[in-house]
Amino acid sequence: MSQETPALPPRLRLIEIISAGWVSAAVSALAELGVADLLDEPRTTAELAEGSGTDPDALERFLYAAATAGVVLARPDGRFALTEVGAVLRSDHPTSMREMCRLTGMEEFARTWANASHTARTGAPAFDAAFGRSLWSHMGDGDNAEFSGVFHRAMAESAAAHTVSSAYAFPDDAHVVDVGGGRGAMLAQLLTARPGLTGTVFDLPGAVTGAAKVLADAGVSARATVTAGSFFDGVPEGGDVYLLSRVIGNWNDEDSVRILRAVRAVMRPTSRLVIVGHMPTGEDRTHYVRALDLYMFVLLQARLRTPEQYRELFARAGLELSRTDLRPDSESLVEARPV
C-alpha cells in the first residue's frame, strides 16, 4: 500500500504559498523570451541561452524555478525538456497560452499587485493607484502600444469560442453581435464552426484594429462586419444573439447595468443575450476562479458573478435569466431574454 506524502508544516506551507508568485514570474519570463519555442527537443541551458539571447547562468535559474511547477523537466543529463503543461507555452500550440503568460508578467500587473492593499483598504482599483488612471485609459495611450498589443493577443488566444459553440444552440441563420469582441477571434471561430451564422464585431476603435484581417484570414469575412464604438453609447441593432464574452466581468455593478441596458435597448423580443465568463461554483477544483475574482477587483473594481447575481443585474436592465450552463474551473454561460 502506497503511503501518502506527509503534509507540509504550516510554516513551510506558507512559504510555498508566498513564493508561488516568484515561480509565476519565472514562467512569464520564459514566455516573454520564447524559450518553449526552442524546446522542440531536450536542450542544454547553453543552447537555450544562445537561442534566446540570454545569460546561461541566469536562464538556468528561471528554468529550475519553472521545473518546480512542472512546466519543464530538468533531466539528469543536464538538459531541459518541455512537459505537457510547458508545451502550452509554445507559440504554435493549438491552445497556446504564451501571450497570456507574457501579459501577467508585465510591469503593469506587477505594479498593480504591489498596491493590492490599497484595494483592500478602500475598495478602489489598485491599477488606478499605481498609474493614476484606469486600465482602459492606460491601454488607449499610444505610448503603451506594446502592453495593449499583448493584452489583445492574450484575449484572442484564450477566446472561449469552443465553450460557446459547444454549449449554446445558436439558431441556424442567427446574426451574432459580439459586443466587446476585440479583434474578432471569438466571432471568427464561431462563424467557422457554424457556417450558417453571420456576425458583427463591436468594440472601441483601437480594440477592433486588425479584426477585419482576423476575419479574412479565417475565411469568414463575407459573413462578418466590423463596427467601432462604445457600448456605453449604444450597441448595433439587428442581432439575434448578443454575445458578451469576458465583458461584464470587467466592470462594477453600475457600469455593468449600463452595458446591459444598452444591449437591451436594441434587442428584439426574440433576441437573446449570452454572457460567457468564469463564474464561481461550489464544485471548483482549483483556486483559479476565486483568484481571478480577486484579480479583477484589484485591477478594475470588477467582479466575477454567480448566476443569481446575474439575475439581479438583469432585472435592473429589463432582462431575465433564461438559461445557465455552469462549468467548474472553466468559463460558464448564462442566457437572458427581454422581460
Side-chain angles (χ1 to χ4, degrees), residues 9-89:
R11 181 180 175 85
L12 283 182
R13 178 65 183 128
L14 186 59
I15 288 173
E16 187 176 58
I17 291 169
I18 63 172
S19 62
W22 307 341
V23 176
S24 174
V27 175
S28 294
L30 294 178
E32 174 67 27
L33 296 166
V35 171
D37 288 350
L38 303 174
L39 283 169
D40 52 332
E41 62 182 21
R43 297 190 185 279
T44 65
T45 303
E47 291 172 326
L48 294 172
E50 181 179 2
S52 59
T54 57
D55 178 82
D57 186 48
L59 181 62
E60 187 170 67
R61 280 150 179 78
F62 285 85
L63 290 165
Y64 274 118
T68 67
V71 175
V72 295
L73 174 67
R75 293 165 50 117
D77 62 5
R79 294 184 297 168
F80 289 89
L82 279 183
T83 63
E84 186 177 15
V85 173
V88 185
L89 282 177

Side-chain angles (χ1 to χ4, degrees), residues 19 33 57 69-70 74 97 117 276 327:
S19 62
L33 296 166
D57 186 48
M97 290 285 287
S117 60
V276 180
R327 302 191 172 201

Side-chain angles (χ1 to χ4, degrees), residues 4 14 30 33 36 60 65 75 113 120 128 143 146 163 180 186-187 194 198 230 246 250 258 271 281 322:
E4 294 185 2
L14 186 59
L30 294 178
L33 296 166
E60 187 170 67
R75 293 165 50 117
W113 281 116
D128 298 39
D143 291 338
E146 180 183 3
T163 297
M186 167 72 83
L187 187 63
R194 302 291 184 91
T198 59
S230 169
R246 301 178 182 172
N250 293 339
R258 289 176 60 200
S271 297
T281 78
S322 51

Side-chain angles (χ1 to χ4, degrees), residues 285-304:
R285 297 161 297 174
T286 71
H287 65 259
Y288 177 70
V289 177
R290 285 301 179 185
L292 181 62
D293 180 49
L294 172 63
Y295 171 81
M296 298 308 296
F297 198 84
V298 168
L299 194 67
L300 294 162
Q301 202 183 34
R303 65 187 71 225
L304 304 186

Side-chain angles (χ1 to χ4, degrees), residues 173-199:
D173 58 350
H175 186 80
V176 181
V177 179
D178 190 359
V179 179
R183 298 186 176 177
M186 167 72 83
L187 187 63
Q189 293 178 53
L190 281 180
L191 297 189
T192 300
R194 302 291 184 91
L197 298 181
T198 59

Side-chain angles (χ1 to χ4, degrees), residues 21 68 92 143 151 177 210 222 236 279 299 323 335:
T68 67
D92 59 0
D143 291 338
F151 179 92
V177 179
M279 302 176 197
L299 194 67
R323 183 184 171 194
E335 178 198 71

Side-chain angles (χ1 to χ4, degrees), residues 71-155:
V71 175
V72 295
L73 174 67
R75 293 165 50 117
D77 62 5
R79 294 184 297 168
F80 289 89
L82 279 183
T83 63
E84 186 177 15
V85 173
V88 185
L89 282 177
R90 290 183 60 90
S91 299
D92 59 0
H93 193 278
T95 59
S96 175
M97 290 285 287
R98 182 190 175 190
E99 295 298 310
M100 182 64 75
C101 290
R102 289 183 64 201
L103 180 68
T104 57
M106 296 186 81
E107 180 185 359
E108 281 80 355
F109 293 103
R111 286 175 60 182
T112 296
W113 281 116
N115 286 269
S117 60
H118 171 80
T119 298
R121 292 190 181 100
T122 67
F127 189 96
D128 298 39
F131 289 90
R133 56 182 174 180
S134 72
L135 171 68
W136 308 122
S137 296
H138 183 80
M139 286 178 56
D141 188 330
D143 291 338
N144 300 305
E146 180 183 3
F147 172 72
S148 180
V150 174
F151 179 92
H152 286 297
R153 289 194 296 275
M155 295 304 102

